[in-house]
Each structure stands twice: as C-alpha cells, then as structure tokens.
C-alpha cells in the first residue's frame, strides 16, 4: 500500500464522507493508515498536573474550575516550583514521558506567577521529560519565553465547532482560540488541540471540528479527544456522555485526516472498559494520560493501565522520540 499523503486541504464534504462511513470499514482503514505512520503498540504517556486550580473567570460549561459554577472544587494558588518538580519526578518513575502543567487562568499575565511557571518548565525539562503547558491565552513574547525555557508543546483545545462554541463558552470567542494557536505555532512550539465529545453537539459540529483541525497547516502534533466527564454544579451536569461507538468514530476519522498526529484518548477514559480502550487504540489513538487525576476529574488507576499495557503488549514512547521507525 502506498503511504497516504498528509493533506491540509480537506473539504468539509470529504471529512463528512469519511466520518459517515460504515464504522467497521472506517476503523479498519484507520488502523491501516495508523500502521503506515506509527509503530504499532507504542503509546505516548503523559501526566497532567493542575498547578493552579479553580477560581477561573471563564465560563466553560463543562468545567469544575470556573467561578461561575458551584462545583465544590478545592481551589489553590500556583504550586511551589519544588512541589511540581517532585510530581514530575514521580510521573517519570511511573512511566510518563511527557509532563503537562495546567493552570486555570483565562490568560497568562506578566507577573511573578509566570516567572515561576517558566522555572517549572526548566526543572521538568531538566528531568528529561517533554513538557506541555495549558495556561489559557498567550501573547507572542510569552510563547517565546515558554519555548526558551524548554517547553515542548502548548495545549489549547478548540472543544467543539465554531458554530456551537458560543453555547458552551461566552467569555471568549473561537477567534480568540485560533489566535492563541497561531501564536503558539509561530513561537516554534508543538500544537496540542482537540475537542470534547458530549457537550450536546451534533454530528455536524463534530465534522466541523475535525475539518478545522485537519485543515491546519501543519496539523496539530497532538489532538486530544476528550469524553465529557459531567461535573455536578456545571450546566452540563446531566449531559449524556458519548457512546464508545461515537468515540471510536471520531478517533478513526481523526487518524485518517491527520495521519502523523498523536491522537490522545484523554479525559473520560476511565469510563471505558479495557476492551473499549483497546478498540480506540486499534482505531488510531496513540497517546493517553497516566495518573489518578486529570486536573479535577478522575482517571484510570496506574495499576489498571500497567495491566492493560502488559496484556496488549504496549510500550511507552520514549520522550523526544517523534517518529519511531514503523
Ligand atoms: S476549561 Fe480552562 S478556561 Fe475554561 S473555565 Fe475551566 S480552567 Fe477556565
């Protein structure tokens, strides 16, 4: 089979056509493309630490950390640099190769917290880990400072389609989001951006989101696919999480559209059985979060992940190994 071309000129109709294929055929094709671009059985393992929790002025309808909702989340100010360094050391010992730093901010401000954050990035990088951060909106000099401190990638999710976005967040726009992603790319950082399934979006919204992601040039290096974890107290507390079939369909389509990207089975993985997770890996997911918590949401216990890796013969991708030979 000739290696498929990596394209950024997908039309919306082409994306819809792939998305709507019979599911088994879609999964099989995605698995074949995955095999062309990635070593089978190698999964990137990331750990996410909330270094500043709660008190966020944004109103994202799914989030436990927004000041707009009563969620009972325990807020804390920016953690001490040494606490973060120690957490990164433990994550590395548990098998993580990428350490992600999350702060519940609307945007990065030019203050002492940012200086401390840069120091966290330096220390985590010095442990030999890839470092990712998710800190809200950025301006160019901040993105460059993060890059100089050793940041590998910046996460900034689009969440859903441009049309549905105002139903989920009103305190910023889709254009704000796209602008920050551009700033990140121009600073020479890897781009990590994806979506959340289960926000009440339609199939058309999912297709639109995939189309937006797949027409970035170059594609985002990481595409997290999150399954909503409904949080009591938020407007989406009673939302129905997506089915495994919807999840796999989105993963397989993303794999076909963005063959070289890491597709990350991110939040909501703990509600999938080991067999369902294995199906997501077959369909092209090749990155997960390790660790008991994802910001404020529960995640899969480490022992369960170790058992799953063992039974499936999965290896963790070493840090800084972008493309292992297939
Ligand atoms: S998702 Fe991020 S930006 Fe939105 S409310 Fe939560 S912490 Fe704030």
């Amino acid at each position: 089979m000739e290696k498929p071309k990596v394209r950024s000129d997908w039309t919306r109709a082409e994306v819809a056509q792939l998305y709507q294929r019979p599911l088994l055929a879609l999964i099989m094709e995605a698995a074949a493309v995955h095999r062309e671009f990635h070593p089978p059985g190698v999964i990137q393992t990331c750990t996410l630490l909330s270094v500043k929790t709660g008190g966020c002025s944004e109103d994202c309808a799914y989030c436990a950390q927004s000041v707009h909702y009563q969620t009972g989340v325990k807020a804390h100010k920016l953690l001490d640099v040494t606490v973060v360094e120690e957490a990164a050391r433990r994550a590395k010992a548990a098998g993580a190769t990428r350490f992600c730093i999350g702060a519940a901010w609307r945007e990065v401000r030019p203050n002492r917290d940012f200086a401390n954050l840069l120091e966290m990035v330096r220390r985590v990088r010095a442990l030999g880990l890839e470092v990712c951060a998710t800190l809200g909106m950025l301006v160019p000099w901040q993105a460059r400072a993060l890059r100089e401190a050793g940041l590998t990638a910046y996460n900034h999710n689009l969440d859903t389609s441009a049309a549905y976005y105002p139903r989920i967040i009103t305190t910023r726009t889709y254009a704000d989001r796209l602008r920050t992603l551009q700033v990140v790319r121009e600073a020479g950082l890897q781009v990590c951006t994806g979506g959340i399934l289960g926000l009440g979006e339609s199939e058309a919204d999912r297709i639109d989101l995939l189309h937006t992601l797949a027409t970035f040039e170059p594609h985002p290096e990481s595409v997290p696919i999150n399954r909503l974890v409904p949080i009591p107290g938020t407007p989406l507390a009673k939302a129905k999480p997506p089915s495994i079939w919807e999840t796999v369909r989105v993963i397989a389509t993303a794999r076909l559209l963005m063959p070289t990207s890491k597709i990350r089975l991110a939040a909501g993985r703990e509600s999938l059985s080991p067999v369902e997770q294995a199906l997501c890996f077959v369909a092209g997911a090749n990155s997960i979060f390790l660790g008991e918590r994802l910001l404020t949401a529960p995640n899969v216990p480490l022992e369960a992940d170790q058992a799953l890796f063992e039974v499936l013969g999965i290896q963790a991708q070493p840090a800084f190994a972008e493309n292992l030979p297939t």
Side-chain angles (χ1 to χ4, degrees):
M1 172 172 149
E2 201 187 322
K3 208 164 176 158
K5 277 210 188 81
V6 179
R7 295 175 49 195
S8 290
D9 61 351
W10 297 100
T11 64
R12 188 182 183 290
E14 285 175 316
V15 176
Q17 200 189 22
L18 285 176
Y19 186 91
Q20 287 158 346
R21 290 192 63 183
L23 186 58
L24 193 57
L26 178 66
I27 293 170
M28 286 179 164
E29 195 178 332
V33 167
H34 184 85
R35 183 70 184 82
E36 288 293 318
F37 287 89
H38 303 272
V42 175
I43 299 241
Q44 181 191 48
T45 48
C46 315
T47 288
L48 176 57
L49 177 69
S50 180
V51 298
K52 184 267 172 187
T53 304
C56 181
S57 62
E58 301 286 69
D59 68 350
C60 309
Y62 50 80
C63 182
Q65 305 195 63
S66 167
V67 289
H68 298 266
Y69 318 124
Q70 302 291 324
T71 63
V73 81
K74 209 164 152 247
H76 65 78
K77 293 200 173 126
L78 192 69
L79 295 178
D80 198 75
V81 173
T82 52
V83 173
V84 176
E85 187 179 10
E86 201 35 55
R89 222 182 276 281
R90 283 198 306 273
K92 187 177 179 183
T97 55
R98 175 176 282 205
F99 192 76
C100 305
I101 293 170
W105 288 330
R106 168 179 163 76
E107 72 231 311
V108 174
R109 300 233 169 89
N111 55 18
R112 227 181 49 204
D113 277 354
F114 186 52
N116 284 334
L117 221 131
L118 293 175
E119 184 57 20
M120 290 174 195
V121 172
R122 281 184 211 105
R123 299 245 191 128
V124 176
R125 177 68 183 248
L127 296 173
L129 289 165
E130 296 177 19
V131 199
C132 177
T134 184
L135 315 169
M137 291 185 260
L138 283 181
V139 293
W141 73 264
Q142 295 165 335
R144 284 194 300 272
L146 285 163
R147 167 104 173 106
E148 278 155 24
L151 195 78
T152 314
Y154 195 80
N155 165 267
H156 202 62
N157 288 329
L158 286 174
D159 293 348
T160 187
S161 68
Y164 195 63
Y165 200 75
R167 300 276 303 275
I168 300 300
I169 298 141
T170 66
T171 48
R172 59 168 184 261
T173 65
Y174 213 65
D176 291 331
R177 224 55 192 164
L178 292 171
R179 200 171 309 115
T180 297
L181 289 170
Q182 181 72 19
V183 162
V184 167
R185 181 57 85 197
E186 282 171 6
L189 291 162
Q190 290 184 18
V191 171
C192 173
T193 184
I196 307 176
L197 309 180
L199 301 175
E201 75 284 357
S202 64
E203 179 181 287
D205 292 313
R206 290 180 188 167
I207 292 168
D208 282 343
L209 171 65
L210 287 164
H211 180 237
T212 302
L213 294 168
T215 47
F216 281 163
E217 195 170 5
H219 292 153
E221 282 80 2
S222 311
V223 180
I225 304 296
N226 296 283
R227 294 159 41 82
L228 180 76
V229 179
I231 309 280
T234 63
L236 292 172
K238 301 232 162 6
K240 189 168 154 256
S243 70
I244 176 64
W245 306 123
E246 293 169 292
T247 306
V248 173
R249 185 176 288 284
V250 170
I251 289 172
T253 310
R255 171 51 67 226
L256 290 176
L257 294 170
M258 296 168 280
T260 61
S261 303
K262 288 274 183 308
I263 308 292
R264 181 173 308 143
L265 179 58
R269 187 168 63 88
E270 85 293 345
S271 60
L272 297 177
S273 71
V275 173
E276 289 170 335
Q277 292 180 54
L279 188 59
C280 294
F281 298 146
V282 170
N286 60 345
S287 177
I288 60 166
F289 282 113
L290 284 185
E292 307 273 318
R293 297 203 75 70
L294 276 183
L295 297 179
T296 59
N299 194 29
V300 179
L302 185 60
E303 305 73 52
D305 277 336
Q306 284 168 341
L308 184 63
F309 275 33
E310 171 88 31
V311 79
L312 294 178
I314 289 175
Q315 293 171 321
Q317 178 185 290
F320 307 105
E322 284 315 313
N323 284 307
L324 294 177
T326 49

